[in-house]
Amino acid sequence: MNDSTRRGVAIIGGGPAGLMAAEVLTARGYAVDVYDAMPSVGRKFLLAGIGGLNITHSEAYPAFVGRYGDRAEQIAPLLKDFDADALRAWVHGLGVETFVGSSGRVFPKEMKAAPLLRAWLSRLREAGARIHVRHRWQGWNADGSLKFDTPDGELAVRADATLLALGGGSWKKLGSDGRWMPWLAEKGVATAPLAPSNCGFDAEWSDFFADKFAGEPLKSIGLAFQGGDGREFKRVGECVITKSGIEGSLVYACSALLRDEIARAGSATCHLDLIPAWDEAKVLAEVSHPRGSRSLSSHLQSRLNLKGARAGILRECLDKDSFQNPVLLAAAIKRLPVTVTAARPIDEAISTAGGVSFSALDERQMLAALPGVFCAGEMLDWEAPTGGYLLTACFASGRAAGQGIADWLEQAESK
């Protein structure tokens, strides 16, 4: 099968970025075809909503933009046109109410992604967007047409403009596999290698500790890190001990710094504050309190409420001699060194860093090396912590790309 009919705009990838671009383009009168390799679109979006869809965050704009780290300068223009408030208003326009949780995170009232996606797809189809599933993009044919594998055989598609919104490299089973990287590199597009982001890390646990505490949470602890490059991190939150190391929201928030330090130095040592509400003087006083016939473990549980996984990781990471020294023990409770040696594989990560360099794009998000081809979403070289920041930037990037495509096509039509 070889259909070379002109399609208007081809959008490859049916995640938030691609679908948002489709909405912008249909509203401006363009014929839009969305192609996705999976049996249905929005699969990773639906996965993100399994535990409650965190759509965005309510914190003030300057702090919000700062969450994008080294890419804040590139993401800021996208958010100025479509910030967290605009995203919430857009969600409300689909008939889905939202609320702000105690942490400042924003959720749909029903906490689920499926109702929002259903309403959105219904609106897109009513606007004329055509959605093609089980269409896996395979790059370009020799004549420049887009090449797809479909259930009916190979399909060649010509489009006036193309948007690539293929995601990064995490969660291959949901469609984001990074296979597009070499195809763009062959076309002269500057890319950065994909790397895990919002991921767990390996640590060298003893068998006893790993067997006993894997899956146990460390709640209300502090994590501090200072990299050799001068970047710092300090926050209170929650993480989870795993068989191979450590993961969870607190670790994810620091993952970029830990990952980069491992790449630079071979390992990274962060410090856990097991009782962040107490200063070291108070901890020392309690540790030093006479314990009589009680064991040290019972003493720490009684005086400091150190038990379970927190007591376990203290014993795991502190040598026996220091454990018997009240001064060193108190210092370790407030600043326990935990060394991680590797990030978990990309396919286990929530998201990825790396991808298409912003230097490869013009102000419309069009590739300089491939006029008429645009990029959006997680396949661009940026990263952000969980908390709604990933989704917000994907929506904003897709919206900006849709506007850029429409502007470019209108300019071409006017010549």
Side-chain angles (χ1 to χ4, degrees), residues 195 201 255-268 340-343:
F201 289 84
S255 64
L257 277 67
L258 295 173
R259 181 197 66 222
D260 293 350
E261 183 71 5
I262 292 169
R264 187 191 70 82
S267 65
V340 294
T341 56

Side-chain angles (χ1 to χ4, degrees), residues 106-412:
V106 177
F107 301 89
K109 197 170 184 179
E110 295 183 3
M111 296 293 289
K112 298 176 182 178
L116 191 158
L117 183 60
R118 282 196 299 268
W120 192 9
L121 291 176
S122 177
R123 189 164 76 182
L124 284 170
R125 289 188 173 105
E126 287 176 4
R130 293 168 293 199
I131 297 174
H132 311 269
V133 296
R134 294 188 173 91
H135 280 57
R136 184 176 293 278
W137 185 54
Q138 300 292 335
W140 290 273
N141 292 304
D143 65 358
S145 59
L146 297 164
K147 181 179 179 181
F148 292 92
D149 279 346
T150 81
D152 297 321
E154 187 174 299
L155 174 69
V157 172
R158 290 188 178 277
D160 297 297
T162 299
L163 173 64
L164 304 179
L166 291 154
S170 63
W171 292 92
K172 290 180 184 178
K173 65 181 181 181
L174 301 179
S176 297
D177 55 17
R179 294 177 62 200
W180 48 268
M181 287 279 285
W183 301 336
L184 292 186
E186 288 172 4
K187 298 289 187 179
V189 176
T191 60
L194 294 176
S197 181
N198 291 298
C199 59
F201 289 84
D202 291 337
E204 296 179 354
W205 299 144
S206 66
D207 290 341
F208 172 81
F209 179 77
D211 290 342
K212 185 171 183 178
F213 293 107
E216 292 293 318
L218 294 168
K219 296 184 177 182
S220 298
I221 65 165
L223 188 152
F225 175 74
Q226 182 167 359
D229 57 6
R231 291 186 294 171
E232 298 180 356
F233 176 91
K234 188 174 184 180
R235 194 174 302 174
V236 173
E238 181 176 331
C239 57
V240 178
I241 295 166
T242 68
K243 195 84 171 175
S244 64
I246 193 166
E247 65 178 22
S249 58
L250 188 57
V251 176
Y252 299 158
C254 189
S255 64
L257 277 67
L258 295 173
R259 181 197 66 222
D260 293 350
E261 183 71 5
I262 292 169
R264 187 191 70 82
S267 65
T269 299
C270 57
H271 292 86
L272 302 184
D273 185 345
L274 300 179
I275 312 179
W278 291 12
D279 62 26
E280 190 170 335
K282 184 175 181 180
V283 172
L284 178 58
E286 295 299 328
V287 167
S288 303
H289 192 277
R291 59 186 173 95
S293 62
R294 286 185 305 183
S295 68
L296 182 54
S297 294
S298 296
H299 180 65
L300 293 178
Q301 179 173 340
S302 173
R303 305 297 302 187
L304 291 87
N305 197 32
L306 270 182
K307 58 185 178 180
R310 286 194 299 164
I313 199 169
L314 179 63
R315 283 196 175 275
E316 178 73 6
C317 297
L318 190 62
D319 64 86
K320 289 183 179 180
D321 290 342
S322 298
F323 210 88
Q324 300 300 322
N325 184 314
V327 173
L328 296 179
L329 178 57
I333 290 170
K334 291 297 294 178
R335 190 173 166 80
L336 182 69
V338 176
T339 298
V340 294
T341 56
R344 295 299 298 162
I346 281 181
D347 202 43
E348 294 180 19
I350 292 174
S351 59
T352 49
V356 176
S357 301
F358 280 90
S359 63
L361 305 171
D362 68 8
E363 68 280 359
R364 297 187 179 109
Q365 292 180 217
M366 184 170 73
L367 293 169
L370 293 170
V373 179
F374 299 72
C375 293
E378 196 183 330
M379 68 182 295
L380 302 180
D381 181 18
W382 61 277
E383 61 183 313
T386 57
Y389 309 104
L390 289 165
L391 272 178
T392 302
C394 284
F395 279 113
S397 174
R399 183 175 182 273
Q403 292 174 332
I405 292 169
D407 291 345
W408 182 76
L409 289 172
E410 288 173 6
Q411 185 178 30

Side-chain angles (χ1 to χ4, degrees), residues 43-55:
R43 292 224 160 177
K44 193 172 180 182
F45 181 67
L46 290 173
L47 179 71
I50 286 179
L53 180 64
N54 180 195
I55 196 77

